[in-house]
């Protein structure tokens, strides 16, 4: 009995109480990574941005694209056919056409009736069937393109002969036969749907004849002349798509390929045309033909080709189709080729950079879909992208695209691990930041990616902290953008990217400080192993954070203020607050406390929680505890016990554990009705949160341990603690396989070790009271 009284009567020192409170708290509740939103990126179909000059034009005239000169070849000319059945048949057809023409009125347009077609079809089937169909067609078309070798009447009606033949023979149509029909209809006001149908037939005929690989240059040139003439005749996008189907089926190269890419680029600029790509197989053919191009030899084609793909991949359905046809592998192959060429030649044609910009812009769209990450990682694509950032860090537009890619992919944990593996060191990212300190779009994305990487990767935290002048670089950036923000620069911008940069920079330092060794170094006092400039860096960081808290409103700048509070929380956790002369935090503890006190009464719940977290660390200092008592800070924290929010209750109870270590604060806490509030919380939420219950018991122990009475009804507290410490009733037979139950049991053990002391003290108090009654 005497032993129990002795234990209960023995008050604990302030340092013991603080140490126990700190040990009772879950460190993850006080030192944790900071999360933030991804930087805003507009989704617009823009070819090039306006940062650099000498970019290829987004508008162009196709008339400027000339047909490639046909290579001269030495071929043996076939002898003319004389007195053969072919020439006889052709003469017969000529005479028949003249007869039909003479019977019609020369001043009126002849309308063909069914009887006309029948008459044409009945032109001596025996003689027409004796014609060699392909040879006759070639002969007719040869006359069509060599104008000095045919008469006008014959040309005007050659199409009627072709149509008659189509009716007479059930054979596959020849490419040039379809071309002749297209030529004829181009001379009239044709219907778009009718011409599209002819072009589809032409594309099918080209595929059937395998014209893309057959070296029939005359036939190819004939088709190309007609098709390009049609391009310049009609600007209709639907018709252009069907023209492209013909050109893509031919697998054109060189200037023709560049023209194809420009045409696709022209159509893809308008999202309303996406359906034209969804309704045809043009995208599949387009990806295939891009595979025949190389960045060095076909740079113009790839500039507009990847420019078109950049627009088209903004549509999820089109992106899925392109990726299913191997577009991602093709892009990574071209990217590797560009990287290799850069390593071999320091100076590259400017067109290569233009290709790279469009290519990385397309990749930026692709990485929006996580299902492609597996292929990117397995193929080493992320390493290739990172290598391109290193090799082309001088091109601001390319750097912007790659920073966007890294920003998006860093939201995936596996990608973060791959990024840490592929960078030999983090100096590449740091050098990019140092090269473009005033480019908000680059800085905000690189720092966002770094913040994501540092969230769970200890190796990355050490690499970044140990990189030469990394902290100095971040602090200088923070100072630069803080001055921009305070000077109201970019206030006219709808999305305040300057403030977003500040948030991302703070987040990098916060997530780096999660590592205990790094956090301790950041707030360490100068010694033989910790130079003075490191202490100055911490002081500079504190100055910037305090400026934010004093100059920014939680209502207008919520995320920025919360980021500053998170930084103060993590760093103050490692600071030695017991000695005012030990480290930067000790020296500035009152300045920090004053800035935070203004936020204790805010209506913003998240802000109140973060302020309480910081005070949970700062109140280890007697100076801070005295200040809070004098400025009604203790009253504000006690009033938070009425909130009912578990998270806020936990952090506030952590502050009160420290505050009640001083006798003056204990009495004030009683006067503020703090004890009864805590008892009510214990009774209502005790079993739901053992950490909270443990902190409440610790606070009540601090308040009552050196007293002979309990400010309230001790029986209520005693009964509550008896229920909460009944192990058998709460857990029964603990199953080792139930991991969740095991984890809860460990938390309960921590609670029980604190609650037992209070339970024994209350038991002694009640026994002594009953003894007095008996006497």
């Amino acid at each position: 009995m005497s032993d129990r009284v002795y234990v209960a009567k023995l008050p604990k020192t302030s340092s013991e109480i603080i140490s126990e409170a700190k040990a009772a708290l879950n460190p993850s509740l006080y030192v944790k990574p900071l999360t933030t939103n991804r930087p805003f990126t507009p989704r617009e179909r823009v070819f090039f941005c306006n940062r650099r000059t000498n970019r290829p034009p987004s508008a162009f005239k196709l008339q400027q694209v000339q047909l490639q000169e046909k290579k001269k070849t030495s071929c043996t000319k076939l002898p003319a056919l004389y007195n053969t059945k072919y020439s006889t048949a052709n003469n017969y057809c000529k005479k028949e056409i003249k007869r039909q023409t003479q019977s019609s009125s020369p001043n009126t347009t002849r309308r063909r009736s069914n009887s006309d077609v029948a008459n044409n079809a009945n032109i001596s089937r025996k003689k027409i069937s004796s014609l060699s169909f392909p040879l006759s067609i070639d002969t007719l078309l040869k006359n069509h393109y060599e104008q000095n070798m045919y008469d006008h009447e014959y040309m005007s009606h050659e199409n009627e002969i072709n149509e008659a033949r189509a009716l007479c023979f059930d054979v596959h149509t020849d490419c040039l036969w379809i071309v002749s029909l297209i030529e004829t209809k181009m001379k009239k006001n044709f219907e778009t749907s009718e011409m599209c149908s002819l072009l589809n037939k032409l594309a099918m005929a080209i595929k059937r004849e395998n014209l893309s690989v057959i070296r029939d240059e005359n036939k190819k040139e004939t088709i190309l002349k007609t098709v390009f003439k049609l391009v310049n005749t009609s600007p209709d996008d639907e018709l252009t798509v069907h023209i492209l189907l013909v050109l893509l089926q031919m697998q054109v190269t060189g200037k023709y390929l560049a023209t194809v890419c420009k045409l696709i680029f022209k159509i893809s600029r308008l999202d309303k045309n996406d359906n034209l790509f969804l309704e045809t197989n043009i995208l599949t053919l387009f990806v295939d033909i891009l595979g025949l191009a190389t960045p060095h030899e076909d740079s113009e084609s790839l500039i507009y080709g990847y420019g078109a793909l950049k627009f088209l991949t903004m549509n999820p359905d089109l992106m899925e189709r392109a990726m299913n046809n191997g577009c991602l592998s093709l892009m990574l192959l071209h990217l590797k080729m560009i990287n290799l060429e850069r390593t071999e030649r320091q100076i590259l044609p400017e067109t290569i950079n233009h290709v790279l910009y469009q290519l990385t812009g397309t990749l930026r769209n692709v990485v929006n879909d996580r299902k492609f990450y597996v292929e990117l990682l397995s193929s080493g694509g992320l390493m290739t992208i990172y290598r391109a950032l290193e090799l082309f860090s001088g091109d601001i537009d390319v750097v912007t695209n790659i920073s966007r890619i890294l920003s998006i992919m860093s939201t995936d944990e596996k990608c973060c691990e791959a990024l840490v593996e592929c960078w030999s060191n983090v100096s590449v990212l740091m050098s990019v930041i140092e090269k473009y300190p005033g480019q908000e779009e680059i800085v905000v994305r690189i720092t966002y990616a770094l913040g994501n990487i540092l969230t769970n990767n200890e190796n990355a935290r050490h690499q970044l902290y140990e990189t030469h002048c990394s902290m100095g670089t971040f602090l200088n950036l923070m100072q630069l953008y803080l001055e921009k923000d305070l000077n109201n620069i970019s206030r006219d911008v709808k999305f305040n990217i300057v403030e977003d940069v500040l948030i991302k920079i703070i987040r990098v330092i916060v997530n780096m400080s999660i590592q205990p060794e790094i956090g301790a170094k950041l707030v360490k006092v100068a010694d033989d192993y910790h130079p003075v400039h490191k202490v100055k860096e911490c002081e500079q960081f504190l100055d910037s954070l305090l400026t934010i808290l004093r100059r920014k409103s939680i209502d207008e700048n919520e995320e920025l203020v919360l980021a500053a509070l998170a930084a103060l929380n993590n760093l103050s956790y490692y600071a030695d607050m017991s000695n005012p002369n030990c480290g930067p935090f000790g020296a500035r503890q009152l300045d920090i406390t004053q800035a935070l006190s203004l936020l204790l009464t805010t209506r913003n719940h998240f802000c109140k929680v973060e302020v309480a977290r910081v005070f949970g660390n700062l109140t280890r200092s007697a100076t801070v505890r005295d200040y809070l008592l004098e400025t009604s800070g203790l009253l504000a924290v006690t009033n938070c016990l009425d909130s009912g929010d578990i998270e806020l209750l936990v952090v506030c109870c952590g502050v009160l554990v420290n505050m009640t270590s001083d006798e003056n604060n204990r009495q004030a806490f009683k006067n503020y009705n703090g004890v009864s509030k805590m008892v009510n919380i214990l009774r209502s939420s005790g079993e739901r949160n053992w950490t909270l219950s443990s902190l409440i018991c610790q606070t009540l122990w601090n308040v009552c341990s050196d007293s002979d009475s309990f400010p309230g009804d001790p029986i209520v507290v005693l009964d509550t603690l008896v229920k909460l410490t009944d192990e058998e009733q709460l857990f029964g037979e603990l199953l080792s396989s139930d991991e969740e139950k095991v984890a809860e049991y460990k938390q309960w053990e921590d609670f029980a070790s604190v609650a037992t002391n209070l339970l024994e003290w209350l038991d002694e108090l009640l026994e002594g009271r009953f003894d007095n009654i008996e006497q």
Side-chain angles (χ1 to χ4, degrees):
M1 180 65 142
S2 60
D3 291 340
R4 289 174 62 188
V5 172
Y6 177 79
V7 172
K9 293 286 185 179
L10 181 63
K12 297 182 180 181
T13 64
S14 297
S15 59
E16 289 176 331
I17 294 172
I18 295 170
S19 298
E20 288 184 8
K22 190 173 179 180
L25 299 176
N26 185 351
S28 63
L29 297 174
Y30 277 78
V31 179
K32 62 176 186 177
L34 177 63
T35 59
T36 185
N37 297 321
R38 209 178 85 189
F40 173 76
T41 300
R43 300 279 287 172
E44 299 175 346
R45 300 198 178 195
V46 178
F47 190 35
F48 280 102
C49 54
N50 298 321
R51 292 192 189 88
R52 297 185 57 191
T53 57
N54 301 324
R55 292 298 197 187
S58 58
F60 44 80
K61 294 182 179 180
L62 293 174
Q63 288 87 341
Q64 296 173 351
V65 181
Q66 302 295 328
L67 291 175
Q68 291 178 226
E69 295 183 3
K70 187 173 71 172
K71 296 179 181 180
K72 295 182 178 180
T73 56
S74 57
C75 298
T76 303
K77 188 174 182 180
L78 294 175
L81 297 174
Y82 296 107
N83 300 322
T84 64
K85 59 182 179 180
Y86 304 114
S87 59
T88 302
N90 285 333
N91 289 333
Y92 179 88
C93 291
K94 275 189 175 184
K95 292 177 181 178
E96 182 65 21
I97 291 170
K98 288 180 180 179
R99 184 187 64 76
Q100 293 178 7
T101 305
Q102 290 171 357
S103 63
S104 61
S105 175
N107 299 322
T108 58
T109 303
R110 178 171 180 175
R111 297 180 179 273
R112 300 182 63 210
S113 64
N114 292 334
S115 61
D116 295 329
V117 175
N119 289 333
N120 285 332
N122 292 325
I123 300 175
S124 184
R125 285 179 176 269
K126 181 177 180 181
K127 291 186 176 181
I128 293 179
S129 62
S130 66
L131 297 176
S132 174
F133 181 62
L135 182 59
S136 298
I137 290 293
D138 290 344
T139 303
L140 290 173
L141 288 170
K142 182 173 183 292
N143 291 336
H144 179 76
Y145 287 106
E146 297 179 12
Q147 298 180 10
N148 59 339
M149 296 183 65
Y150 64 89
D151 61 81
H152 181 70
E153 281 186 354
Y154 182 67
M155 175 191 174
S156 300
H157 295 279
E158 66 176 16
N159 192 48
E160 296 181 11
I161 296 176
N162 291 337
E163 292 184 26
R165 287 175 175 173
L167 293 172
C168 294
F169 301 104
D170 184 19
V171 296
H172 289 306
T173 52
D174 179 83
C175 291
L176 295 183
W177 179 81
I178 302 174
V179 168
S180 69
L181 291 178
I182 293 174
E183 282 277 3
T184 302
K185 293 190 179 297
M186 284 172 58
K187 297 169 185 175
K188 307 174 184 179
N189 292 327
F190 59 82
E191 293 290 335
T192 299
S193 59
E194 188 179 12
M195 187 63 77
C196 288
S197 177
L198 282 175
L199 289 168
N200 280 342
K201 291 179 180 178
L202 179 57
M204 293 172 62
I206 291 171
K207 181 179 181 181
R208 185 171 56 251
E209 295 181 23
N210 203 14
L211 195 58
S212 61
V213 296
I214 296 176
R215 296 187 176 277
D216 190 343
E217 298 298 331
N218 289 330
K219 181 179 285 191
K220 289 181 179 179
E221 185 175 344
T222 299
I223 296 173
L224 291 172
K225 281 182 179 180
T226 302
V227 168
F228 281 120
K229 191 187 302 182
L230 184 59
V231 169
N232 296 326
T233 301
S234 175
D236 185 88
D237 288 339
E238 183 181 359
L239 182 61
T240 303
V241 166
H242 288 82
I243 291 172
L244 286 167
L245 287 173
V246 173
L247 296 173
L248 290 170
Q249 200 68 64
M250 294 179 70
Q251 293 188 351
V252 293
T253 57
K255 288 185 178 180
Y256 299 146
L257 176 57
T259 303
V260 167
C261 293
K262 288 180 178 181
L263 284 172
I264 294 180
F265 170 79
K266 175 177 174 290
I267 300 172
S268 65
R269 297 185 70 173
L270 300 176
D271 54 7
K272 68 178 183 179
N273 289 334
D274 286 355
N275 284 334
L276 297 177
F277 292 89
L278 289 170
E279 293 167 358
T280 63
N281 68 332
I282 184 172
L283 188 56
T284 301
L285 296 173
F286 182 47
V287 173
D288 289 342
I289 202 171
L290 281 185
L292 303 177
T294 62
H296 181 72
E297 297 179 356
D298 305 284
S299 55
E300 185 181 20
S301 300
L302 292 181
I303 289 171
Y304 290 98
Y306 279 122
L309 282 175
K310 181 174 67 174
F311 296 157
L312 295 175
T313 50
M314 290 182 181
N315 184 310
D317 295 330
L318 289 175
M319 181 168 67
E320 182 81 18
R321 182 175 297 185
M323 295 303 107
N324 289 340
N325 285 278
C327 187
L328 181 55
S329 300
L330 177 61
M331 287 190 290
L332 294 178
L333 175 61
H334 281 158
L335 185 56
K336 289 179 181 178
M337 293 170 69
I338 293 173
N339 287 348
L340 180 61
E341 191 162 357
R342 184 54 182 268
T343 57
E344 295 176 349
R345 294 195 298 166
Q346 192 63 29
I347 300 178
L348 294 178
E350 187 68 13
T351 53
I352 298 293
N353 288 66
H354 300 333
V355 173
L356 183 59
Y357 175 72
Q358 301 302 334
L359 195 158
T360 52
T362 309
L363 280 172
R364 178 250 177 271
N365 292 338
V366 172
V367 297
N368 269 334
D369 196 330
R370 288 176 178 265
K371 65 173 167 284
F372 302 122
Y373 287 5
V374 175
E375 183 178 352
L376 265 170
L377 295 178
S378 62
S379 64
L382 189 55
M383 184 179 295
T384 304
I385 295 169
Y386 191 77
R387 179 61 173 161
L389 176 65
E390 182 178 6
L391 293 173
F392 293 88
S393 61
D395 190 321
I396 185 173
D397 292 334
V398 171
V399 170
T400 300
N401 276 345
I402 296 180
S403 67
R404 288 175 174 174
I405 294 171
L406 298 180
S407 170
I408 298 169
M409 295 193 70
S410 66
T411 58
D412 183 85
E413 189 173 342
K414 291 184 178 179
C415 291
C416 286
E417 295 175 358
L419 270 173
V420 177
E421 291 177 2
C422 73
W423 69 28
S424 55
N425 54 66
V426 75
S427 59
V428 174
L429 295 179
M430 295 305 300
S431 64
V432 168
I433 293 176
E434 292 171 355
K435 185 174 290 187
Y436 304 104
Q439 296 294 327
E440 293 93 344
E441 290 190 4
I442 294 175
V443 175
V444 74
R445 288 171 175 82
I446 294 294
T447 50
Y448 175 73
L450 283 172
N452 290 338
I453 294 168
L454 298 174
T455 300
N456 298 307
N457 198 301
E458 294 184 8
N459 185 33
R461 294 174 195 148
H462 285 291
Q463 281 192 35
L464 183 59
Y465 180 75
E466 293 167 3
T467 299
H468 182 63
C469 295
S470 61
M471 276 298 297
T473 298
F474 291 126
L475 294 175
N476 291 338
L477 282 173
M478 189 174 178
Q479 185 65 32
L480 171 66
Y481 284 94
L482 187 57
E483 291 176 0
K484 279 187 177 184
D485 191 64
L486 295 177
N487 291 332
N488 292 323
I489 295 179
S490 71
R491 286 295 183 189
D492 56 336
V493 179
K494 183 178 180 181
F495 186 85
N496 190 358
I497 192 173
V498 173
E499 182 174 307
D500 201 31
V501 171
L502 284 172
I503 295 169
K504 270 48 174 186
I505 294 173
I506 294 173
R507 180 171 177 254
V508 170
I509 300 176
V510 169
N511 291 356
M512 187 165 50
S513 67
I514 297 173
Q515 198 69 18
E517 297 88 347
I518 297 174
K521 288 179 180 179
L522 289 174
V523 297
K524 190 178 180 181
V525 67
D527 56 25
D528 295 340
Y529 302 99
H530 194 68
V532 176
H533 78 269
K534 289 291 185 182
V535 179
K536 295 292 183 183
E537 288 176 351
C538 184
E539 292 175 353
Q540 181 182 345
F541 188 42
L542 285 177
D543 287 338
S544 298
L545 294 176
L546 290 174
T547 300
I548 291 172
L549 294 180
R550 290 166 178 163
R551 300 285 296 274
K552 293 295 182 179
S553 165
I554 184 62
D555 296 325
E556 298 178 1
N557 316 98
E558 180 182 28
E559 191 176 4
L560 178 59
V561 172
L562 293 178
L565 291 173
L568 287 173
N569 171 69
N570 278 20
L571 295 181
S572 62
Y573 181 83
Y574 300 104
D576 184 2
M577 303 303 302
S578 62
N579 186 355
N581 300 319
C582 188
F585 263 89
R588 304 293 300 277
Q589 56 181 292
L590 277 181
D591 292 337
I592 299 171
T593 302
Q594 290 171 358
L596 293 177
S597 297
L598 300 175
L599 297 172
L600 266 178
T601 56
T602 180
R603 295 180 180 179
N604 187 295
H605 167 75
F606 301 104
C607 180
K608 193 174 292 186
V609 169
E610 292 303 321
V611 170
R613 288 186 196 279
V614 183
F615 274 132
N617 298 323
L618 294 180
T619 49
R620 285 177 279 151
S621 167
T623 304
V624 174
R625 296 197 296 271
D626 292 340
Y627 180 87
L628 289 178
L629 178 63
E630 294 170 3
T631 58
S632 300
L634 176 59
L635 175 61
V637 175
T638 305
N639 288 337
C640 289
L641 297 177
D642 297 324
S643 70
D645 180 81
I646 296 297
E647 184 181 22
L648 182 58
L649 289 176
V650 169
V651 293
C652 285
C653 286
V655 176
L656 293 172
V657 168
N658 290 345
M659 291 294 294
T660 54
S661 63
D662 296 334
E663 185 175 353
N664 293 337
N665 293 335
R666 295 171 195 163
Q667 188 58 46
F669 180 68
K670 294 176 184 178
N671 296 337
Y672 298 150
N673 203 26
V675 173
S676 62
K677 291 181 180 181
M678 283 197 159
V679 171
N680 291 334
I681 296 171
L682 187 64
R683 294 176 62 191
S684 61
S685 306
E687 292 186 26
R688 293 201 296 265
N689 194 306
W690 297 115
T691 299
L692 175 61
S693 299
S694 177
L695 292 171
I696 291 174
C697 289
Q698 184 65 62
T699 305
L700 294 177
W701 170 258
N702 289 349
V703 171
C704 305
S705 60
D706 61 345
S707 174
D708 294 330
S709 62
F710 185 82
D713 188 350
I715 297 179
V716 174
V717 181
L718 184 66
D719 291 342
T720 302
L721 291 178
V722 168
K723 293 178 181 178
L724 295 178
T725 54
D726 191 339
E727 178 180 355
E728 185 175 350
Q729 182 68 28
L730 292 171
F731 297 97
E733 295 183 1
L734 183 65
L735 299 177
S736 58
S737 59
D738 191 343
E739 295 182 1
E740 184 176 348
K741 202 70 173 177
V742 170
E744 182 185 356
Y745 181 77
K746 290 181 179 179
Q747 293 179 358
W748 175 85
E749 282 187 319
D750 295 335
F751 157 77
S753 64
V754 178
T756 300
N757 285 339
L758 181 61
L759 183 63
E760 290 178 351
W761 182 84
L762 288 171
D763 190 29
E764 286 290 333
L765 179 66
L766 290 174
E767 285 185 5
R769 182 181 298 178
F770 291 142
D771 290 341
N772 292 333
I773 292 175
E774 292 176 359
Q775 292 177 356

